[in-house]
Amino acid sequence: MGNMLEIRWHGRGGQGAKTASLLLAEAAFDTGKFIQGFPEYGPERMGAPITAYNRISDERCPIHSNIYEPDFVVVVDETLIDVVDVTAGLKETGGIIINTSKAPEEVMHKLKGYKGGVYTIDAREISMATLGRYFPNTPMLAAVVKVANIMDEETLITSMEKSFHHKFANKPHVIAPNMEALKKSLTEVKGA
């Protein structure tokens, strides 16, 4: 498949990794791409490790399996680095995006010699400042779009505003803070 981007998300139940992967799929679909967004669950309980996946392509994708050699990995919970091999199969032409207050060079030693791009974003600080609660999924969604250059920022903002109006139809007061978190996150990703 030419021009296909594969992303693997690592998070814990309740952190919104699955939701973020589905929102990313929806935003990419809005740009005319073919998409897949799906989770993989272990024991379904709050706090248990979960994995979610995205495929984004210019062509229809006939592959329907987990992603074993992703272009990008998103780590929603930094503690998973010590529990899960988050760099397994990760292409060195891509990168890893980690939710942490640390700089990329401070987490590299935990990445088993990975030589691709390492990016960090403090999704906790951003979500607390904008939402008043810890919801890392919106900042991590913005970070992966920025790092992987999936779409331009304005397209993401427009698509997410539409999605948030639908998703939060019964809670309209959370739309503006989520949009603020999204925009702030686009400017706070560190790494290269």
Side-chain angles (χ1 to χ4, degrees), residues 99-120:
N99 173 13
T100 181
S101 60
K102 299 174 183 135
E105 52 276 5
E106 294 177 84
V107 295
M108 286 179 171
H109 70 280
K110 291 185 164 193
L111 301 179
K112 301 184 180 197
Y114 178 68
K115 296 187 182 354
V118 178
Y119 304 85
T120 61

Side-chain angles (χ1 to χ4, degrees), residues 23-100:
L23 287 170
L24 175 57
E26 187 176 318
F29 180 78
D30 286 349
T31 70
K33 301 285 187 183
F34 291 91
I35 54 94
Q36 292 179 4
F38 54 97
E40 174 186 42
Y41 296 104
E44 293 186 41
R45 65 184 193 278
M46 188 73 83
I50 69 110
T51 310
Y53 305 93
N54 287 107
R55 285 193 178 90
I56 302 168
S57 178
D58 292 330
E59 303 169 19
R60 186 173 301 282
C61 179
I63 304 168
H64 296 283
S65 67
N66 292 349
I67 295 170
Y68 301 102
E69 295 181 350
D71 298 291
F72 291 91
V73 165
V74 181
V75 181
V76 181
D77 186 319
E78 177 184 13
T79 65
L80 289 171
I81 293 172
D82 298 323
V83 180
V84 176
D85 185 1
V86 295
T87 59
L90 179 57
K91 296 175 185 169
E92 291 186 359
T93 55
I96 185 168
I97 305 136
I98 303 166
N99 173 13
T100 181

Side-chain angles (χ1 to χ4, degrees), residues 96-98 104 118-122 126 139-148 182 184-192:
I96 185 168
I97 305 136
I98 303 166
V118 178
Y119 304 85
T120 61
I121 184 167
D122 193 345
I126 292 168
M140 298 309 290
L141 167 63
V144 72
V145 168
K146 174 92 174 182
V147 169
L182 188 78
K184 184 174 177 64
S185 300
L186 289 167
T187 66
E188 296 201 11
V189 180
K190 299 178 194 108

Side-chain angles (χ1 to χ4, degrees), residues 109-171:
H109 70 280
K110 291 185 164 193
L111 301 179
K112 301 184 180 197
Y114 178 68
K115 296 187 182 354
V118 178
Y119 304 85
T120 61
I121 184 167
D122 193 345
R124 176 180 294 280
E125 187 279 324
I126 292 168
S127 67
M128 293 302 291
T130 58
L131 302 166
R133 294 181 66 192
Y134 181 46
F135 292 110
N137 57 342
T138 297
M140 298 309 290
L141 167 63
V144 72
V145 168
K146 174 92 174 182
V147 169
N149 196 28
I150 296 169
M151 65 192 73
D152 66 73
E153 293 178 15
E154 200 52 48
T155 300
L156 174 67
I157 290 166
T158 301
S159 180
M160 292 291 58
E161 189 161 24
K162 182 180 87 175
S163 289
F164 289 158
H165 276 282
H166 176 73
K167 179 175 174 51
F168 300 125
N170 294 328
K171 300 186 272 185

